[in-house]
């Protein structure tokens, strides 16, 4: 892909990042009545509105509003450089668009709302099915489904381990991202399963060394799952 096209895709990524913040805000709280949401987007019993109000305030910080478009530009440009000749690139970009909003929500309130996770899976399927049919390779859809199943099973086992901090929102997100990762092949899927844990470990160690977190501090894992999948695609 030419430098001009990569730049254009990066600008689209910046626009996607800009749109991610107001989209994320819809799943954190609403004007006049901020509310915290659980993994399905519903109000958990006994959850004080002040928690969601603080999360909404964090999403509205100027630093975050400027950072997310930059991240979007980098994510889109990376995909364009790595997969520029791949007919599945639009599917990957569409999946990344929803992923940006999902990362913002998880960073703000440690939640991965089901509607957004379903949108990640839908974006991947919506983009990959036409590519498979047009290219005469429907078997690749089976590989994508197998990737989702393997990701789901692996993360369920990890979530059920004693002391595990994975939530079932993380499990469902991993399964959704298993669709495009499985489409790209087993080595890519393997990297997509491994890299999130390596990335999260580095971040946790850095935060712990800096005195920003304690051993029992809850931290979002969704951004690591998304970042690991992105890196796996780049390295495929």
């Amino acid at each position: 892909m030419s430098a001009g096209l990569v730049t254009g895709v990066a600008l689209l990524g910046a626009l996607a990042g800009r749109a991610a913040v107001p989209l994320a805000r819809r799943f954190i709280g609403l004007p006049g009545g901020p509310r915290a949401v659980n993994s399905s987007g519903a109000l958990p019993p006994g959850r004080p509105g002040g928690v969601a109000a603080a999360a909404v305030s964090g999403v509205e910080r100027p630093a975050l509003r400027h950072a997310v478009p930059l991240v979007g530009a980098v994510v889109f440009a990376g995909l364009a450089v790595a997969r520029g000749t791949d007919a599945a690139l639009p599917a990957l970009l569409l999946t990344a668009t929803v992923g940006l909003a999902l990362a913002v929500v998880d960073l703000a309130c440690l939640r991965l709302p089901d509607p957004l996770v379903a949108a990640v899976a839908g974006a991947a399927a919506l983009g990959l099915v036409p590519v498979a049919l047009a290219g005469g390779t429907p078997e690749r859809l089976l590989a994508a489904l197998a990737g989702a199943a393997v990701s789901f099973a692996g993360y369920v086992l990890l979530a059920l381990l004693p002391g595990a901090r994975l939530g079932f929102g993380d499990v469902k997100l991993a399964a959704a991202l298993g669709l495009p990762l499985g489409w790209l092949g087993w080595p890519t899927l393997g990297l997509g399963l491994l890299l999130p844990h390596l990335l999260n470990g580095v971040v946790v160690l850095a935060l712990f060394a800096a005195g920003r977190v304690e051993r029992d501090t809850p931290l979002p894992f969704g951004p690591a799952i998304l970042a690991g999948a992105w890196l796996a695609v780049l390295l495929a």
Side-chain angles (χ1 to χ4, degrees):
M1 182 175 285
S2 68
L5 288 176
V6 171
T7 301
V9 172
L11 290 175
L12 286 177
L15 292 175
R18 186 176 180 84
V21 173
L23 176 59
R25 194 180 191 280
R26 296 183 59 186
F27 290 90
I28 299 169
L30 297 172
R35 58 190 177 91
V37 296
N38 62 17
S39 61
S40 63
L43 179 67
R47 171 73 75 170
V51 174
V56 171
S57 176
V59 169
E60 294 300 327
R61 290 177 182 172
L64 181 60
R65 293 204 308 269
H66 291 114
V68 180
L70 177 60
V71 171
V74 171
V75 168
F76 273 49
L79 292 174
V81 171
R83 314 298 305 183
T85 60
D86 193 336
L89 177 61
L92 299 175
L93 296 179
L94 190 58
T95 303
T97 298
V98 185
L100 289 169
L102 200 53
V104 173
V105 175
D106 202 18
L107 287 169
C109 62
L110 301 178
R111 293 291 185 272
L112 292 170
D114 282 350
L116 281 180
V117 175
V120 169
L126 184 65
L128 294 177
V129 169
V131 174
L133 296 179
T137 55
E139 67 278 2
R140 295 193 68 178
L141 293 177
L142 295 178
L145 291 173
V150 169
S151 297
F152 179 79
Y155 269 77
V156 165
L157 292 176
L158 290 176
L160 293 177
L161 290 176
R165 295 190 179 186
L166 285 178
F168 273 86
D170 300 316
V171 173
K172 288 177 279 190
L173 176 59
L177 292 173
L179 288 169
L181 293 177
W183 170 277
L184 292 174
W186 293 109
T188 305
L189 178 65
L191 280 175
L193 293 175
L194 174 64
L195 288 174
H197 301 280
L198 297 179
L199 294 172
N200 191 64
V202 170
V203 171
V204 170
L205 287 176
L207 291 173
F208 185 76
R212 301 291 299 275
V213 299
E214 303 293 338
R215 292 184 182 275
D216 58 349
T217 302
L219 294 171
F221 192 63
I225 297 176
L226 291 160
W230 177 69
L231 286 174
V233 172
L234 298 193
L235 297 172

